[in-house]
């Protein structure tokens, strides 16, 4: 593997510059993708009863392994907390982050990383104890609010309460596990985080009915995978792996019917499956890179439904995460 050169990026941690193609070469030499994920966020990244990571974010990692290595199982999952995740990416400890991380301007411009797309459109919300009788976030003046350090939630809380001329006492924890434990123990009246995380944390309570998620969404939290700056080839691979899953859903191609489309007359399907053109060549991939993703991991709908949607315990409606033609804003550029 080539020696990395270090540069300083503003006041942030040091980040390596990576020569074109280095990440793919490293991944292929190692024969695995090292993916930084959340240690325990059900629906997105958590260990199942067989100690296997499951969730929407982990399936994104598997899709990239399927594209780059032809085998979705060739992923080394690296659990990272919210503070260490960026350093792990910058230092080369992981090849990408797929860890419920919000795409923001500062992260995209000054922390040595590029976001490759939005795998889940989210927003920050509030969860309160049911016995408080609170119906709206506007009733939270003077509340003690549990939140997590090193996340966008802290700034969003400050902004929301200031704009609405309200006051709150922040109770800050280092991890989601500590945050929900503090809420359950009564150290705060309110827990605030991304709505997806709150629904997952509510399920972890001994009595989920003791808490309710309020309807207000106070921020935009586009969550998606991120890679180091400086390697356009790897950036394209991660980006188009997600786009392939979205395009497959739009075209009606799934893991269960993909082989029925082997001789499709639809040019978009033929290009997706590598039967027409060579759209993997520009990324250093085989012609069947997208076929491998859909065959082994599924299209976006399959990934969504089994992890957070109708086939999961969360049953979260697609909402903004529906395709553009179905009333959502998920939209992928075409493969052509």
């Amino acid at each position: 593997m080539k020696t990395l050169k270090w540069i300083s990026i503003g006041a942030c941690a040091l980040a390596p510059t990576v020569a074109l193609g280095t990440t793919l070469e490293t991944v292929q030499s190692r024969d695995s993708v090292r993916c930084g994920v959340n240690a325990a966020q059900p629906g997105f990244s958590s260990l199942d009863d067989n100690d296997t990571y499951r969730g929407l974010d982990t399936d994104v990692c598997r899709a990239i392994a399927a594209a780059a290595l032809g085998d979705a199982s060739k992923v080394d999952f690296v659990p990272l907390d919210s503070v260490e995740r960026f350093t792990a990416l910058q230092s080369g400890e992981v090849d990408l982050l797929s860890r419920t991380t919000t795409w923001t301007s500062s992260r995209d411009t000054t922390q040595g990383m590029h976001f490759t797309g939005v795998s889940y459109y989210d927003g920050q919300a509030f969860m309160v104890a049911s016995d408080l009788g609170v119906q709206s976030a506007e009733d939270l003046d003077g509340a003690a609010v549990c939140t997590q350090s090193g996340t966008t939630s802290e700034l969003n809380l400050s902004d929301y309460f200031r704009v609405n001329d309200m006051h709150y006492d922040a109770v800050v924890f280092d991890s989601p596990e500590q945050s929900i434990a503090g809420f359950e123990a009564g150290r705060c009246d309110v827990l605030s985080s991304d709505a997806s995380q709150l629904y997952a944390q509510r399920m972890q309570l001994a009595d989920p009915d003791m808490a309710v998620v309020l309807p207000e969404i106070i921020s935009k939290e586009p969550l998606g995978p991120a890679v180091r700056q400086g390697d356009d080839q790897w950036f394209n691979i991660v980006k188009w792996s997600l786009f392939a899953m979205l395009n497959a859903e739009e075209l009606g191609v799934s893991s269960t019917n993909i082989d029925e489309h082997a001789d499709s007359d639809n040019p978009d399907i033929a290009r997706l499956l590598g039967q027409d053109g060579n759209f993997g060549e520009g990324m250093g991939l085989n012609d069947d890179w997208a076929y491998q993703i859909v065959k082994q991991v599924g299209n976006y709908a399959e990934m969504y439904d089994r992890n957070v949607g109708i086939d999961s315990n969360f049953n979260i409606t697609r909402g903004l995460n529906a395709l553009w033609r179905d009333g959502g804003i998920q939209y992928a550029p075409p493969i052509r």
Side-chain angles (χ1 to χ4, degrees):
M1 187 173 72
K2 297 179 181 178
T3 301
L4 301 180
K5 296 182 179 179
W6 295 82
I7 60 172
S8 176
I9 301 181
C12 301
L14 295 177
T17 57
V18 184
L20 182 65
T22 295
T23 307
L24 178 60
E25 293 169 3
T26 300
V27 164
Q28 291 175 335
S29 176
R30 188 198 302 131
D31 201 30
S32 69
V33 175
R34 290 183 60 81
C35 193
V37 297
N38 200 311
Q41 184 170 346
F44 287 84
S45 175
S46 63
L47 290 170
D48 64 12
D49 293 338
N50 297 316
D51 288 335
T52 300
Y53 274 102
R54 300 294 180 192
L56 191 146
D57 282 345
T58 58
D59 277 350
V60 170
C61 302
R62 292 184 175 95
I64 294 158
L69 300 171
D71 188 340
S73 70
K74 292 185 175 180
V75 183
D76 294 326
F77 294 106
V78 181
L80 300 169
D81 65 31
S82 58
V83 176
E84 66 189 1
R85 56 184 163 169
F86 301 126
T87 302
L89 179 62
Q90 292 163 353
S91 67
E93 179 184 349
V94 295
D95 304 313
L96 74 145
L97 287 179
S98 185
R99 192 203 171 282
T100 52
T101 299
T102 301
W103 186 350
T104 69
S105 61
S106 59
R107 290 172 176 174
D108 209 29
T109 61
T110 65
Q111 291 190 307
M113 66 181 68
H114 282 314
F115 285 81
T116 63
V118 178
S119 54
Y120 188 91
Y121 287 96
D122 209 348
Q124 188 168 334
F126 298 97
M127 183 166 69
V128 302
S130 301
D131 58 13
L132 292 179
V134 173
Q135 301 296 318
S136 168
E138 295 178 356
D139 300 327
L140 297 178
D141 191 16
V145 183
C146 286
T147 191
Q148 189 180 340
S149 63
T151 67
T152 56
S153 299
E154 291 181 282
L155 177 61
N156 293 336
L157 274 178
S158 176
D159 289 347
Y160 178 79
F161 278 85
R162 183 177 68 254
V163 167
N164 288 279
D165 195 25
M166 299 192 303
H167 302 280
Y168 73 104
D169 294 320
V171 183
V172 182
F173 296 94
D174 292 331
S175 70
E177 295 80 12
Q178 293 173 350
S179 298
I180 189 63
F183 174 78
E184 192 167 24
R187 293 188 58 185
C188 53
D189 308 305
V190 185
L191 178 60
S192 187
S193 184
D194 293 349
S196 59
Q197 180 162 305
L198 292 180
Y199 284 114
Q201 290 176 313
R202 182 176 177 273
M203 297 289 291
Q204 295 172 321
L205 295 170
D207 177 16
D209 291 335
M210 65 85 63
V212 60
V213 178
L214 298 179
E216 289 92 346
I217 298 294
I218 68 168
S219 70
K220 295 186 294 185
E221 305 296 330
L223 310 179
V227 298
R228 284 183 298 279
Q229 293 181 5
D231 189 340
D232 289 347
Q233 182 188 48
W234 187 244
F235 172 77
N236 285 332
I237 290 170
V238 176
K239 174 173 58 178
W240 281 97
S241 292
L242 176 59
F243 289 164
M245 301 179 86
L246 287 165
N247 278 315
E249 178 186 358
E250 184 173 340
L251 293 167
V253 179
S254 69
S255 61
T256 58
N257 69 19
I258 190 169
D259 290 324
E260 299 172 16
H261 293 283
D263 299 315
S264 176
D265 293 329
N266 184 322
D268 289 323
I269 293 178
R271 286 189 285 264
L272 174 74
L273 303 186
Q275 300 160 350
D276 181 10
N278 185 5
F279 298 98
E281 183 177 13
M283 297 182 287
L285 303 179
N286 294 330
D287 292 350
D288 68 345
W289 62 278
Y291 169 89
Q292 296 299 337
I293 291 173
V294 180
K295 180 67 175 179
Q296 298 183 48
V297 184
N299 63 30
Y300 182 85
E302 291 177 281
M303 177 176 70
Y304 187 99
D305 289 345
R306 67 171 166 260
N307 290 306
V308 297
I310 58 175
D311 297 328
S312 73
N313 292 328
F314 306 105
N315 195 21
I316 302 173
T317 58
R318 288 285 292 267
L320 293 177
N321 291 292
L323 293 180
W324 62 278
R325 67 181 184 191
D326 299 326
I329 58 177
Q330 282 288 11
Y331 184 102
I335 297 174
R336 62 169 180 254

